[in-house]
């Protein structure tokens, strides 16, 4: 019991350090651009929520160590917190596009690093995979909010689709079934961040940005639609197999 408490204390220290680094980044951003109350409050809320949720998840997972891969993901989460603060601040003043693009680009570049680190160090875990996925999903949501201010609220469909899927799974449990690995799914997921970053950078004409984001949304609808169709067919097949499978008592009587 004492050993488990020691491990848990070390894990909580890791999350506390992550929250401290997040606050330090917010202080640097505030000094550099004079961030307003909306940016500060949103950034601090993100830091606290990340610390609270991750601390609870680590306590329940009973991991013996935080691991290098999770440290990379926590670093990405810190960058996402900075992007979130900048996007919130952009509602009050002109956003520092260069800084926002730089933080987002680094976060996207590090997206595949944590997975490679986990495999090379043998520290892959269900919590690490979920942590990585949630950081990715939230970054896409924040970028959708930012780009929607330029192209319209329909862009929020990109960031909200994954959360709508999670909500639907509470009503239809068959959506919770595990999906088979898919390179196409991973490619589409990576495409979302890249397309939204290009549109947010405003380096291209409005029509080009519109086309890029429409391509992003179309590919995401296709990917989710394909997965939902597979899950639905799989649930029907499983249900049919359950119905046609003889009951144990029937098998026993048949044997007699």
């Amino acid at each position: 019991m004492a050993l488990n408490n020691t491990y848990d204390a070390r894990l909580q220290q890791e999350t506390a350090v992550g929250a401290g680094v997040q606050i330090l980044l917010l202080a640097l951003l505030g000094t550099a651009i004079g961030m307003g109350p909306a940016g500060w409050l949103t950034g601090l809320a993100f830091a606290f929520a990340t610390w609270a949720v991750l601390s609870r998840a680590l306590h329940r997972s009973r991991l013996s160590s935080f691991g290098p891969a999770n440290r990379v993901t926590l670093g990405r989460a810190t960058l996402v917190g900075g992007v979130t603060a900048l996007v919130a601040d952009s509602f009050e003043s002109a956003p520092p596009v260069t800084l926002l693009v730089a933080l987002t680009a680094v976060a996207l570049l590090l997206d595949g690093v944590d997975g490679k680190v986990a495999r090379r160090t043998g520290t892959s875990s269900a919590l690490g995979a979920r942590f990585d996925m949630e950081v990715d999903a939230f970054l896409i949501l924040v970028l959708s909010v930012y780009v929607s201010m330029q192209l319209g609220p329909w862009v929020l469909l990109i960031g909200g689709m994954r959360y709508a899927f999670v909500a639907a799974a509470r009503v239809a449990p068959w959506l919770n079934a595990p999906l088979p690995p898919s390179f196409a799914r991973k490619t589409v997921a990576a495409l979302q961040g890249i397309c939204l970053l290009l549109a947010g950078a405003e380096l291209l004409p409005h029509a080009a940005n519109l086309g890029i984001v429409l391509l992003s949304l179309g590919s995401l609808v296709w990917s989710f639609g394909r997965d939902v169709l597979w899950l639905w067919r799989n649930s029907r097949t499983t249900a049919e197999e359950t119905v046609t499978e003889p009951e144990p008592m029937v098998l026993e009587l048949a044997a007699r």
Side-chain angles (χ1 to χ4, degrees):
M1 181 65 70
L3 186 60
N4 288 336
N5 289 337
T6 300
Y7 283 139
D8 191 62
R10 290 177 180 175
L11 294 175
Q12 300 308 321
Q13 288 175 1
E14 296 268 10
T15 59
V17 169
V21 174
Q22 179 72 81
I23 294 173
L24 176 60
L25 176 60
L26 293 175
L28 292 174
L29 292 175
T31 303
I33 66 170
M35 195 161 56
W40 270 106
L41 291 174
T42 304
L44 290 173
F46 179 88
F48 177 78
T50 302
W51 168 79
V53 173
L54 185 56
S55 295
R56 182 181 180 186
L58 286 169
H59 178 72
R60 297 176 64 180
S61 69
R62 300 296 182 183
L63 290 179
S64 59
S65 64
F66 195 67
N70 284 332
R71 292 190 184 99
V72 175
T73 308
L74 186 58
R76 287 203 306 115
T78 301
L79 295 174
V80 172
V83 173
T84 302
L86 291 176
V87 171
D89 191 64
S90 68
F91 284 92
E92 295 182 340
S93 59
V97 178
T98 302
L99 185 56
L100 189 148
V101 168
L103 291 177
T104 303
V106 175
L108 291 175
L109 287 173
L110 290 175
D111 185 19
V113 173
D114 42 13
K116 292 180 180 179
V117 171
R119 288 187 292 271
R120 290 182 180 179
T121 59
T123 55
S124 299
S125 66
L127 183 143
R130 180 64 182 273
F131 186 24
D132 177 58
M133 181 176 62
E134 295 299 340
V135 171
D136 291 341
F138 194 79
L139 176 59
I140 297 303
L141 176 62
V142 171
L143 291 177
S144 297
V145 171
Y146 181 68
V147 176
S148 70
M149 291 186 285
Q150 307 167 25
L151 300 179
W154 62 269
V155 182
L156 296 174
L157 292 172
I158 296 175
M161 199 169 299
R162 189 255 173 184
Y163 295 99
F165 180 86
V166 172
R170 293 183 177 274
V171 180
W174 53 269
L175 289 171
N176 286 315
L179 287 162
S182 170
F183 178 76
R185 186 187 308 118
K186 293 180 179 179
T187 302
V188 170
L191 184 67
Q192 306 310 305
I194 296 172
C195 289
L196 290 172
L197 178 61
L198 283 174
E202 300 183 63
L203 297 175
L204 302 174
H206 179 83
N209 288 333
L210 179 62
I212 289 172
V213 178
L214 283 172
L215 172 64
S216 174
L217 178 59
S219 65
L220 192 62
V221 170
W222 170 81
S223 180
F224 269 96
R226 189 186 67 154
D227 286 345
V228 169
L229 181 61
W230 186 93
L231 289 169
W232 179 71
R233 288 175 175 173
N234 182 65
S235 68
R236 288 177 59 87
T237 301
T238 303
E240 290 173 359
E241 290 175 352
T242 302
V243 171
T244 57
E245 183 179 352
E247 294 292 336
M249 183 59 71
V250 175
L251 291 175
E252 183 179 348
L253 292 173
R256 292 178 180 177

